[in-house]
Amino acid sequence: MIPRLHERTHRPHDPLEEALGRPVSPNEGLTEHTIIAHSPGLDYFTLDNEQRIWTSVQWAEHLEEPYLEHPFAASPDDDRRAILHLDIRLHPDDRELTGPEWAEVAQRLARAAGIEIPGKEHGCRWIAVQAQPGRLDLIANLIHLDGAWHAPPADKLRRLAREARRIEQDLHLIPVRSVPPSRPAVRAALTASAQLATILTQLANEQAGPLAAVRGLVEHTSHRIARQQGAASADTAHRLELIARRLYAIQQDLDTTADRLVHPGAVPAPDAVRHNAHRSP
């Protein structure tokens, strides 16, 4: 079981599309077999005479609502990207988990990531999506319902990895094996390529790379323009979203190229699969 933390974004639509493996839709209802867990208190937002099955667009709007209700909420470093996305993948040879087992995994990882705090009434809104085989996605809004910014623990990656190992043991899943060290001769031959790969990896870095910084500014500008009135503003915001997606695709390509430099024998994924979640205009 391998947890992977994505870079935070301004809107939940792209993470939800990636989790579903298809675009969000106002017509597709997501049942409890897909949204297997969520933050507590959802019944408060769903009256008895309202629909119990929400569409994927409604789930995205539910996650986005605190962002819109508290337009000035930001992290201590003035970062407005409030949508956190975490995905977990099982070993390809693992057995199929049942619905309750997936729900248990979701709850445990949400607590490990710090987005679910038992007993906290006005915490983060989050959902757990199980729409693809062997994969679970957690998507959360770090803005609390009272407008406070939620700061996950600094060691969240270590906590997630530790909880993943515990879940593997409890559910009798295939554990992640440590990768055996490369032979000295192979390491020496790859030294030059590894140095070049490091440069490419730094460019593509999701946390501190220059492309990530540019993409963040583009996404922030798109979000602000989208809040202005007029068709021209909506069109400009949409164009900026497409630019941000292309920048993300470039980051992925750089990361893939860096990996090929270090592992030249690896078979690359087809472009159609690699860019499925980030479509070009």
Side-chain angles (χ1 to χ4, degrees):
M1 175 179 290
I2 303 176
R4 182 177 61 148
L5 192 63
H6 298 250
E7 184 188 11
R8 297 200 312 271
T9 61
H10 287 291
R11 304 181 72 227
H13 296 69
D14 284 347
L16 185 52
E17 287 187 355
E18 184 174 339
L20 293 171
R22 56 188 180 272
V24 296
S25 167
N27 302 315
E28 178 191 15
L30 300 182
T31 69
E32 69 274 9
H33 300 294
T34 300
I35 305 296
I36 57 167
H38 52 73
S39 50
L42 187 62
D43 288 342
Y44 174 81
F45 301 96
T46 308
L47 301 178
D48 290 338
N49 60 345
E50 291 183 339
Q51 65 186 82
R52 290 289 179 173
I53 297 179
W54 287 4
T55 66
S56 52
V57 167
Q58 287 175 312
W59 279 111
E61 292 173 345
H62 177 71
L63 288 173
E64 191 176 32
E65 190 174 353
Y67 203 114
L68 302 177
E69 287 186 350
H70 304 285
F72 301 108
S75 68
D77 56 353
D78 202 31
D79 190 344
R80 280 278 291 165
R81 293 174 296 175
I83 302 301
L84 180 144
H85 179 203
L86 166 72
D87 77 70
I88 305 95
R89 299 167 192 258
L90 301 185
H91 189 282
D93 296 328
D94 260 322
R95 64 181 177 84
E96 288 287 335
L97 299 187
T98 65
E101 285 175 327
W102 275 122
E104 177 188 347
V105 171
Q107 293 284 352
R108 290 175 63 170
L109 290 174
R111 289 194 291 270
I115 59 176
E116 171 64 26
I117 302 176
K120 189 173 183 62
E121 295 183 0
H122 302 290
C124 300
R125 285 189 186 178
W126 62 270
I127 62 173
V129 184
Q130 207 287 297
Q132 303 183 58
R135 172 173 173 155
L136 175 72
D137 290 75
L138 294 180
I139 306 172
N141 190 320
L142 297 182
I143 299 176
H144 288 190
L145 300 182
D146 59 4
W149 184 275
H150 177 77
D155 61 343
K156 55 185 175 297
L157 289 175
R158 182 177 62 82
R159 292 177 180 229
L160 285 166
R162 185 172 57 193
E163 188 62 27
R165 302 293 79 78
R166 290 173 178 166
I167 293 171
E168 288 170 351
Q169 285 187 329
D170 294 345
L171 298 183
H172 306 291
L173 301 174
I174 299 174
V176 175
R177 305 289 183 185
S178 57
V179 178
S182 303
R183 290 175 294 177
V186 175
R187 280 205 305 271
L190 292 179
T191 299
S193 295
Q195 291 175 349
L196 295 174
T198 299
I199 296 174
L200 297 182
T201 301
Q202 290 173 347
L203 288 172
N205 186 279
E206 286 284 350
Q207 302 301 323
L211 287 177
V214 172
R215 197 174 102 233
L217 290 172
V218 172
E219 290 175 341
H220 179 70
T221 304
S222 171
H223 179 75
R224 295 194 61 175
I225 291 177
R227 296 175 63 85
Q228 299 177 5
Q229 299 294 327
S233 297
D235 181 68
T236 301
H238 178 64
R239 288 176 177 272
L240 289 172
E241 285 182 5
L242 295 177
I243 292 172
R245 291 187 183 185
R246 289 200 293 270
L247 286 169
Y248 186 81
I250 292 172
Q251 288 178 266
Q252 286 191 310
D253 287 339
L254 287 171
D255 198 54
T256 300
T257 304
D259 187 67
R260 290 182 196 172
L261 282 171
V262 179
H263 305 98
V267 178
D271 286 346
V273 174
R274 193 155 42 86
H275 294 302
N276 181 53
H278 303 281
R279 299 172 301 279
S280 298

